[in-house]
């Protein structure tokens, strides 16, 4: 009787253990199951230990049945372990990486055409002994105009349509801060901060409140040049700009200087090169439009008033200065017909450089 009860107990222990085992999802669960049933204090181990207390005739029967259950449970445990490992391997195979596939190419950035031309220009001047410096885009009226011999109400202010910043006003209620309309204010800042000799170029963004068209943007770059020392003459300016044009556009280019007016130079000139597309021979040339000449910058000898404004003695020092538009130069070099393409964010244009 006792024998039958023990046999039933073993069977239900086996069935419960197997049912539990089938729903275990991972190896840590399997280990907990092993400890619960087959461990030293496990449920089956307890039953097997109790065999010695049974009547002598029941011991071999229950002992043999208990061992059979143990072997069966160990066997099932091994099967379940293998099933869990295989399931994991199968899921890895689903996400497998095919290392024989070619890689996906990354889109590599490139330099903006303005940056390319700016680097080319500044490198040429660096090669001629000029230092490259930069200055603020938000500028004071004092540097953008007044230090450059353009006092308040001077008509020359109309040459530079200005974006004013309404943060600060002077005693008469006039704005004192602006987005610089040219890089020339850096002439005054540099001369104020340093004694001659000075040889600098200043690349930087400038802003003008003007209607845009194929040759006019409201934001564009300029490169300013300034050289101040004892005995600097117009001949030094001509030589420097000739050398620049030779390195930038080739040695066969001719250069033309014509009188022009800028309040901060005397004399002032505009500087052109002869058209490298048609050599001045094609009245329908798409680059010079038949003029034969391409204007590339304004320049001149630094006005004595500008030297005085920064505390230099114009009897002792003289200097030349120039200011050019790199986008206009890039347009000439690359045959770009509309300056608005530079900041239009059209990737089809930008990818060509
Ligand atoms: C003149 C004499 C000096 O001693 C020093 C500098 C200068 C240049 C002066 N500061 C100036 O800004 N002159 S400018 O109005 O004729 O502009 C200079 C160059 O900037 C032009 O030759 C042109 O290449 C470019 N530029 C002017 N307005 C532009 C422009 N580029 C694109 N869009 C515009 N709206």
């Amino acid at each position: 009787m006792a024998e039958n009860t023990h046999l039933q107990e073993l069977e239900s222990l086996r069935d419960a253990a197997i049912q539990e085992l089938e729903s275990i999802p991972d190896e840590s669960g399997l280990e907990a199951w092993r400890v619960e049933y087959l461990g030293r204090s496990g449920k089956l181990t307890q039953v097997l230990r109790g065999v010695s207390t049974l009547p002598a005739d029941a011991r071999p029967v229950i002992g043999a049945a208990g061992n059979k259950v143990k072997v069966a449970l160990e066997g099932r445990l091994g099967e379940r372990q293998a099933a869990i490992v295989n399931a994991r391997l199968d899921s890895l195979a689903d996400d497998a990486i095919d290392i024989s596939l070619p890689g996906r190419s990354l889109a590599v950035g490139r330099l903006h055409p303005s940056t390319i031309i700016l680097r080319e220009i500044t490198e040429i001047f660096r090669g001629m002994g000029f230092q490259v410096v930069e200055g603020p885009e938000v500028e004071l009226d004092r540097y953008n105009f007044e230090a450059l011999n353009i006092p308040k109400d001077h008509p020359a202010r109309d040459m530079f349509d200005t974006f004013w910043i309404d943060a600060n006003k002077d005693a008469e209620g006039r704005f004192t801060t602006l987005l610089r309309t040219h890089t020339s204010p850096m002439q005054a800042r540099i001369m104020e901060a340093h004694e001659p000799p000075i040889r600098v170029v200043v690349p930087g963004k400038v802003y003008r409140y003007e209607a845009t068209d194929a040759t006019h943007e409201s934001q564009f770059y300029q490169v300013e040049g300034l050289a101040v020392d004892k005995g600097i003459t117009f001949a030094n300016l001509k030589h420097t700009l000739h050398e620049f044009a030779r390195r930038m556009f080739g040695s066969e280019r001719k250069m033309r200087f014509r009188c022009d007016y800028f309040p901060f130079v005397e004399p002032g000139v505009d500087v052109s090169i002869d058209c490298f597309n048609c050599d001045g021979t094609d009245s329908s040339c798409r680059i010079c439009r038949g003029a034969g000449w391409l204007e590339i910058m304004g320049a001149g000898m630094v006005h004595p008033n500008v030297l005085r404004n920064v505390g230099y003695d114009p009897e002792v020092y003289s200097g030349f200065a120039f200011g050019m538009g790199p986008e206009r130069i890039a347009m000439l070099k690359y045959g770009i017909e509309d300056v608005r393409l530079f900041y239009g964010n059209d990737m089809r244009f930008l990818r060509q450089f």
Side-chain angles (χ1 to χ4, degrees):
M1 185 63 210
E3 202 177 291
N4 280 345
T5 314
H6 275 96
L7 285 176
Q8 273 168 11
E9 207 182 312
L10 273 172
E11 268 173 32
S12 46
L13 181 72
R14 182 197 61 201
D15 292 348
I18 289 173
Q19 201 183 357
E20 205 180 306
L21 183 66
E22 292 310 316
S23 61
I24 292 176
D26 53 30
E27 277 138 326
S28 64
L30 289 184
E31 177 56 13
W33 179 92
R34 190 193 64 73
V35 172
E36 184 185 345
Y37 289 98
L38 302 172
R40 269 210 230 162
S41 319
K43 290 177 181 165
L44 182 61
T45 316
Q46 304 280 7
V47 174
L48 292 176
R49 280 204 192 116
V51 168
S52 58
T53 63
L54 295 174
D57 57 340
R59 275 182 224 158
V61 181
I62 302 301
N67 278 330
K68 218 168 141 191
V69 169
K70 189 176 180 213
V71 169
L73 291 187
E74 283 172 347
R76 288 297 189 103
L77 174 64
E79 283 167 22
R80 186 78 196 122
Q81 260 165 344
I84 288 174
V85 169
N86 284 339
R88 205 177 44 239
L89 287 177
D90 283 351
S91 80
L92 284 178
D94 287 347
D95 301 338
I97 296 168
D98 181 350
I99 55 168
S100 67
L101 280 175
R104 271 184 220 134
S105 61
L106 286 176
V108 178
R110 62 191 71 218
L111 293 179
H112 189 277
S114 298
T115 310
I116 296 173
I117 208 85
L118 276 170
R119 289 191 181 178
E120 214 174 316
I121 294 170
T122 50
E123 247 351 273
I124 290 174
F125 284 106
R126 221 196 286 267
M128 290 195 267
F130 285 72
Q131 250 183 298
V132 180
V133 293
E134 290 184 35
E137 291 177 21
V138 175
E139 188 51 282
L140 297 173
D141 181 295
R142 186 159 92 76
Y143 289 108
N144 197 84
F145 292 126
E146 293 196 39
L148 297 176
N149 203 27
I150 316 175
K152 298 213 162 48
D153 299 323
H154 191 288
R157 288 196 175 211
D158 293 345
M159 292 167 75
F160 306 100
D161 302 295
T162 307
F163 284 111
W164 294 96
I165 291 174
D166 61 4
N168 307 306
K169 289 183 179 174
D170 64 13
E172 282 114 54
R174 293 192 246 221
F175 297 130
T176 55
T177 320
L178 46 81
L179 292 182
R180 69 178 172 192
T181 58
H182 51 173
T183 41
S184 301
M186 277 303 285
Q187 290 189 30
R189 284 184 177 275
I190 291 160
M191 287 192 280
E192 243 181 30
H194 300 277
E195 288 298 312
I198 288 172
R199 251 176 213 78
V200 289
V201 284
V202 186
K205 266 273 173 68
V206 303
Y207 302 87
R208 294 205 188 157
Y209 181 54
E210 60 183 320
T212 62
D213 60 25
T215 52
H216 294 86
E217 249 297 7
S218 50
Q219 55 159 355
F220 52 99
Y221 277 98
Q222 284 192 340
V223 177
E224 192 79 8
L226 175 70
V228 186
D229 204 348
K230 289 179 180 157
I232 293 225
T233 68
F234 200 84
N236 299 123
L237 170 65
K238 281 186 82 175
H239 170 77
T240 305
L241 295 184
H242 266 295
E243 190 54 25
F244 165 72
R246 192 181 67 79
R247 295 189 196 185
M248 190 77 187
F249 301 105
S251 53
E252 61 288 358
R253 295 278 59 86
K254 291 195 206 79
M255 210 168 203
R256 182 181 74 176
F257 291 78
R258 285 192 309 183
C259 283
D260 201 353
Y261 171 71
F262 299 98
F264 33 95
V265 283
E266 183 55 39
V269 288
D270 76 50
V271 182
S272 307
I273 53 167
D274 64 329
C275 180
F276 46 77
N277 191 44
C278 73
D279 286 323
T281 58
D282 178 1
S283 60
S284 59
C285 171
R286 68 181 171 85
I287 304 282
C288 72
R289 301 189 200 286
W293 294 97
L294 304 162
E295 190 194 313
I296 54 168
M297 69 181 101
M301 298 304 290
V302 181
H303 197 291
N305 286 348
V306 174
L307 296 174
R308 263 184 225 107
N309 286 343
V310 295
Y312 288 2
D313 181 349
E315 297 299 323
V316 179
Y317 293 112
S318 56
F320 67 74
F322 54 86
M324 64 183 82
E327 282 90 358
R328 294 261 184 94
I329 290 177
M331 289 169 78
L332 298 177
K333 265 200 107 163
Y334 301 126
I336 299 165
E337 297 193 342
D338 195 320
V339 71
R340 290 167 294 191
L341 285 165
F342 284 84
Y343 304 107
N345 284 337
D346 185 337
M347 293 303 286
R348 291 167 305 176
F349 169 72
L350 297 173
R351 282 205 188 99
Q352 295 175 57
F353 296 91

